[in-house]
Amino acid sequence: MKISKLLKDSPTSFIHMLAAGFLLASSAAVRAEEYDPATKVHVDGLWLRVHAEDCPALILKEEKKTMTLGEADKAGYRIGVSGQSGRENCCFKGYQRKHPQKELTDDTILCGNNEKRNVKHVAGCHRYWPDRSDLRRPLKDWVADGFKVCPHCRERGPAASTISDEEWGKLGPPGNFTAPSGWVPKAFHPDRLPSPEELEILIQETLSKGAAIQELPFVDPVASMENFMTMRFFFPVHQWLNLYMAYRVTGDSRIRDTLLVSARHYHKLSVEHPSVGQLKAGVPEGFAYMFSMAASARITLQMARKRPDLVSRDELVEAEDFLRTMAMILKPTCEGDGSALDPDMGVPKALADDFRTRAFNRSMNGIGTLGIFTAALEDLQAIKKNKAFQPMIDHYQKVVKEYLEYWFSQGHICPETRGFYYPYKPENGKARMEEGHPVFRRPEDAGHYSHTLQGVVFLYESAPELGVDDEFMTAVANALHHNSTTKIVRQGRSVLSGHVECPVMSKVRPYGKRNDKHQYSPARERFYVLQAFRDDLIDGLCASLNETRKQAANSEYDKRLATRYAQYVKALRKDRRLIHLVGNPR
Ligand SMILES: [Zn+2]
Ligand SMILES: [Zn+2]
């Protein structure tokens, strides 16, 4: 990206204001409606819910039982609700029930551990990550022992499916890391190679966290797919990212095999339930459920180009399968149904509207996944020595480019810090201008910036020619370094800000309040990768910590991995064909 161009193009574009306007339309209160009790309804697998024939949230209709609306009401099913806690009304709007809905009872099985005074859940709750060591007991027994019940679980009501004892016994990560005796974790030096022993420990720690399959293995597979649909992917799944980074910094085959477990799982899900995958990938956030597929395929194909002797025919076939399946899943959203494309962006209208309205952190990891996907297709094409995938590559690169150009158009390269700033979500020219700088209505907070940055890093690695190049990454590093090292005055107090603002923004209207949830936090490991673009970056992120606290923070697993990953990205700047840093060649 040309910084000089961005400096000129301040975010004063009003072109897309109209498209954003629909967000303002309020949903009026739902009026009571009459429905024929003989209407056919489809019964969910996970929760006691039923849906209408044409409900947009209904998945796998052909695999579901049906009954009548009257029967469902009498049996206590929740009618026409979806979402994690059942707060969305997806169908049968305005339905007036005749009978009470089923609630949790004394005998409902709730799960959790016996040590902490945390709330107890129904398996499948979005607030609960079960582990095989957790207990499953009737609600009344937990309550008798002084435990509380999760309010989301109460609101949502009972489950319709369970997890078998056999599957329960496999839940949770292996957790089999044992530190060698006498080993004390120590921070990695940003510029020095850790010892082989330290790297092997990092590998062991990573492997002990498993493959991080997200949805639970219910007895009814439809229930698992409904559980999958409620998963959020706007941030990269932490462990998939760990595996990916650990591979890039070690080249270790055990790590790659574990990433493959996730890739194969989501490949199988996509092939067996394409309609579910396509619905999940209906917006960019959902693309990222295929991150491990894209990353595994890319690594295999990079290797096949560089060291063909090390890659088997089966591995090549599998990588191509992952990419073909991704193309099948992405097609309806990214290629559309043949109706007119958005006149400004040249991508399907619904996708363009999503770009122009959704918070950037929600989409960027999905866009980053597309970047990896297109780079892998280019590798595949080079190996096959043909141009069969070129139209697909061109199309998906255009999708990424349109998204990035739109994001850049909403952002600001500040001439004072040479840093890149952007609003939490598109503001489409509504930011007021002061001294030639935009004052965003809501500047991005550092937590969400870290999600966005992860997608951006994927694009830097896979497709820098689309705009996320060395110059842009340096601008991001500049903004975050400044944010961590320069106090602002907010409500009369001198503080480091939890929002990433340029000096004019923080002077004219410092965003945020004391005690709001976006306070400054030092040593965010997601930002450590930017050490590849500024040698003082990690020091800057830790500037508010004393030496003891800094060493303690940087000795944590996440920080050691991120510090080493920054070394990989720094080496990648010099050699774009680099697959991984030292280690086992496979
Ligand atoms: Zn519904
Ligand atoms: Zn719960």
Short mmCIF file of all heavy atoms in Angstrom, two decimals, residues 30-52:
data_model
loop_
_atom_site.label_atom_id
_atom_site.label_comp_id
_atom_site.label_asym_id
_atom_site.label_seq_id
_atom_site.Cartn_x
_atom_site.Cartn_y
_atom_site.Cartn_z
N VAL A 30 -42.70 -6.80 18.09
CA VAL A 30 -43.39 -7.83 17.30
C VAL A 30 -44.85 -7.92 17.75
O VAL A 30 -45.13 -8.05 18.94
CB VAL A 30 -42.68 -9.18 17.46
CG1 VAL A 30 -43.39 -10.25 16.66
CG2 VAL A 30 -41.23 -9.06 17.02
N ARG A 31 -45.75 -7.85 16.80
CA ARG A 31 -47.19 -7.96 17.11
C ARG A 31 -47.58 -9.43 17.24
O ARG A 31 -47.01 -10.30 16.60
CB ARG A 31 -48.00 -7.34 15.97
CG ARG A 31 -48.24 -5.85 16.09
CD ARG A 31 -49.53 -5.46 15.36
NE ARG A 31 -49.70 -6.16 14.08
CZ ARG A 31 -49.22 -5.70 12.93
NH1 ARG A 31 -48.53 -4.58 12.87
NH2 ARG A 31 -49.43 -6.38 11.80
N ALA A 32 -48.59 -9.68 18.05
CA ALA A 32 -49.12 -11.06 18.18
C ALA A 32 -49.66 -11.51 16.83
O ALA A 32 -50.33 -10.75 16.14
CB ALA A 32 -50.21 -11.08 19.23
N GLU A 33 -49.33 -12.75 16.47
CA GLU A 33 -49.78 -13.31 15.18
C GLU A 33 -50.47 -14.64 15.44
O GLU A 33 -50.09 -15.39 16.33
CB GLU A 33 -48.58 -13.56 14.26
CG GLU A 33 -47.92 -12.31 13.70
CD GLU A 33 -48.72 -11.64 12.59
OE1 GLU A 33 -49.62 -12.30 12.02
OE2 GLU A 33 -48.47 -10.45 12.33
N GLU A 34 -51.44 -14.95 14.61
CA GLU A 34 -52.12 -16.26 14.66
C GLU A 34 -51.39 -17.22 13.74
O GLU A 34 -51.03 -16.86 12.62
CB GLU A 34 -53.57 -16.12 14.18
CG GLU A 34 -54.51 -15.54 15.23
CD GLU A 34 -54.59 -16.38 16.48
OE1 GLU A 34 -54.63 -17.62 16.38
OE2 GLU A 34 -54.56 -15.78 17.60
N TYR A 35 -51.12 -18.42 14.23
CA TYR A 35 -50.54 -19.47 13.37
C TYR A 35 -51.41 -20.71 13.49
O TYR A 35 -51.91 -21.02 14.59
CB TYR A 35 -49.11 -19.80 13.80
CG TYR A 35 -48.11 -18.70 13.49
CD1 TYR A 35 -47.81 -17.72 14.44
CD2 TYR A 35 -47.48 -18.63 12.25
CE1 TYR A 35 -46.90 -16.71 14.16
CE2 TYR A 35 -46.56 -17.63 11.96
CZ TYR A 35 -46.27 -16.67 12.91
OH TYR A 35 -45.37 -15.67 12.64
N ASP A 36 -51.56 -21.41 12.38
CA ASP A 36 -52.34 -22.64 12.37
C ASP A 36 -51.61 -23.71 13.18
O ASP A 36 -50.46 -24.04 12.87
CB ASP A 36 -52.51 -23.10 10.91
CG ASP A 36 -53.35 -24.37 10.80
OD1 ASP A 36 -53.68 -24.96 11.86
OD2 ASP A 36 -53.66 -24.76 9.66
N PRO A 37 -52.25 -24.25 14.24
CA PRO A 37 -51.56 -25.27 15.06
C PRO A 37 -51.17 -26.52 14.26
O PRO A 37 -50.33 -27.30 14.71
CB PRO A 37 -52.56 -25.61 16.16
CG PRO A 37 -53.82 -24.91 15.85
CD PRO A 37 -53.59 -23.92 14.75
N ALA A 38 -51.75 -26.70 13.08
CA ALA A 38 -51.40 -27.87 12.26
C ALA A 38 -50.15 -27.62 11.41
O ALA A 38 -49.68 -28.52 10.71
CB ALA A 38 -52.56 -28.25 11.36
N THR A 39 -49.57 -26.41 11.49
CA THR A 39 -48.37 -26.10 10.71
C THR A 39 -47.23 -27.05 11.05
O THR A 39 -46.98 -27.32 12.23
CB THR A 39 -47.90 -24.65 11.04
OG1 THR A 39 -49.00 -23.77 10.90
CG2 THR A 39 -46.76 -24.21 10.13
N LYS A 40 -46.56 -27.54 10.00
CA LYS A 40 -45.44 -28.45 10.23
C LYS A 40 -44.24 -27.68 10.81
O LYS A 40 -43.92 -26.60 10.33
CB LYS A 40 -45.04 -29.11 8.91
CG LYS A 40 -43.92 -30.14 9.07
CD LYS A 40 -43.75 -31.01 7.83
CE LYS A 40 -42.84 -30.35 6.81
NZ LYS A 40 -42.44 -31.26 5.72
N VAL A 41 -43.59 -28.24 11.83
CA VAL A 41 -42.37 -27.62 12.38
C VAL A 41 -41.24 -28.65 12.37
O VAL A 41 -41.47 -29.86 12.40
CB VAL A 41 -42.57 -27.09 13.82
CG1 VAL A 41 -43.61 -25.99 13.84
CG2 VAL A 41 -42.94 -28.22 14.79
N HIS A 42 -39.99 -28.14 12.32
CA HIS A 42 -38.80 -29.00 12.30
C HIS A 42 -38.13 -28.91 13.67
O HIS A 42 -37.96 -27.82 14.21
CB HIS A 42 -37.85 -28.55 11.20
CG HIS A 42 -38.46 -28.68 9.84
ND1 HIS A 42 -38.29 -29.78 9.04
CD2 HIS A 42 -39.28 -27.84 9.14
CE1 HIS A 42 -38.97 -29.63 7.91
NE2 HIS A 42 -39.56 -28.45 7.94
N VAL A 43 -37.74 -30.07 14.19
CA VAL A 43 -37.27 -30.16 15.58
C VAL A 43 -35.74 -30.16 15.61
O VAL A 43 -35.10 -31.00 14.98
CB VAL A 43 -37.81 -31.46 16.24
CG1 VAL A 43 -37.39 -31.51 17.70
CG2 VAL A 43 -39.32 -31.55 16.09
N ASP A 44 -35.17 -29.23 16.37
CA ASP A 44 -33.71 -29.15 16.52
C ASP A 44 -33.15 -30.37 17.25
O ASP A 44 -33.87 -31.05 18.00
CB ASP A 44 -33.32 -27.90 17.30
CG ASP A 44 -33.18 -26.67 16.40
OD1 ASP A 44 -33.40 -26.80 15.17
OD2 ASP A 44 -32.84 -25.59 16.92
N GLY A 45 -31.84 -30.59 17.07
CA GLY A 45 -31.19 -31.72 17.73
C GLY A 45 -30.58 -31.37 19.07
O GLY A 45 -30.47 -32.22 19.95
N LEU A 46 -30.16 -30.12 19.26
CA LEU A 46 -29.40 -29.78 20.47
C LEU A 46 -30.28 -29.26 21.59
O LEU A 46 -30.19 -29.70 22.73
CB LEU A 46 -28.30 -28.77 20.11
CG LEU A 46 -27.42 -28.28 21.25
CD1 LEU A 46 -26.83 -29.44 22.06
CD2 LEU A 46 -26.30 -27.40 20.71
N TRP A 47 -31.12 -28.26 21.29
CA TRP A 47 -31.99 -27.69 22.32
C TRP A 47 -33.44 -28.01 21.98
O TRP A 47 -33.73 -28.35 20.83
CB TRP A 47 -31.79 -26.17 22.42
CG TRP A 47 -30.35 -25.79 22.59
CD1 TRP A 47 -29.59 -25.07 21.72
CD2 TRP A 47 -29.48 -26.10 23.69
NE1 TRP A 47 -28.32 -24.92 22.19
CE2 TRP A 47 -28.22 -25.54 23.40
CE3 TRP A 47 -29.65 -26.80 24.89
CZ2 TRP A 47 -27.13 -25.66 24.27
CZ3 TRP A 47 -28.56 -26.91 25.76
CH2 TRP A 47 -27.33 -26.36 25.45
N LEU A 48 -34.32 -27.85 22.94
CA LEU A 48 -35.74 -28.11 22.69
C LEU A 48 -36.34 -26.92 21.93
O LEU A 48 -36.97 -26.06 22.52
CB LEU A 48 -36.48 -28.34 24.00
CG LEU A 48 -36.09 -29.59 24.80
CD1 LEU A 48 -36.91 -29.69 26.07
CD2 LEU A 48 -36.28 -30.85 23.96
N ARG A 49 -36.09 -26.90 20.63
CA ARG A 49 -36.55 -25.80 19.80
C ARG A 49 -37.16 -26.36 18.52
O ARG A 49 -36.68 -27.38 18.02
CB ARG A 49 -35.39 -24.89 19.39
CG ARG A 49 -34.69 -24.20 20.54
CD ARG A 49 -33.44 -23.48 20.04
NE ARG A 49 -32.77 -22.77 21.12
CZ ARG A 49 -31.57 -22.20 21.01
NH1 ARG A 49 -30.92 -22.24 19.84
NH2 ARG A 49 -31.02 -21.57 22.03
N VAL A 50 -38.15 -25.66 17.99
CA VAL A 50 -38.70 -26.01 16.68
C VAL A 50 -38.71 -24.77 15.78
O VAL A 50 -38.76 -23.63 16.26
CB VAL A 50 -40.13 -26.60 16.78
CG1 VAL A 50 -40.12 -27.90 17.56
CG2 VAL A 50 -41.10 -25.59 17.40
N HIS A 51 -38.64 -25.04 14.48
CA HIS A 51 -38.57 -23.95 13.49
C HIS A 51 -39.56 -24.17 12.35
O HIS A 51 -39.95 -25.31 12.04
CB HIS A 51 -37.16 -23.88 12.88
CG HIS A 51 -36.12 -23.57 13.90
ND1 HIS A 51 -35.86 -22.30 14.33
CD2 HIS A 51 -35.27 -24.38 14.58
CE1 HIS A 51 -34.89 -22.33 15.25
NE2 HIS A 51 -34.52 -23.59 15.40
N ALA A 52 -39.87 -23.07 11.70
CA ALA A 52 -40.75 -23.10 10.52
C ALA A 52 -39.99 -23.65 9.31
O ALA A 52 -38.76 -23.62 9.26
CB ALA A 52 -41.26 -21.69 10.22
#
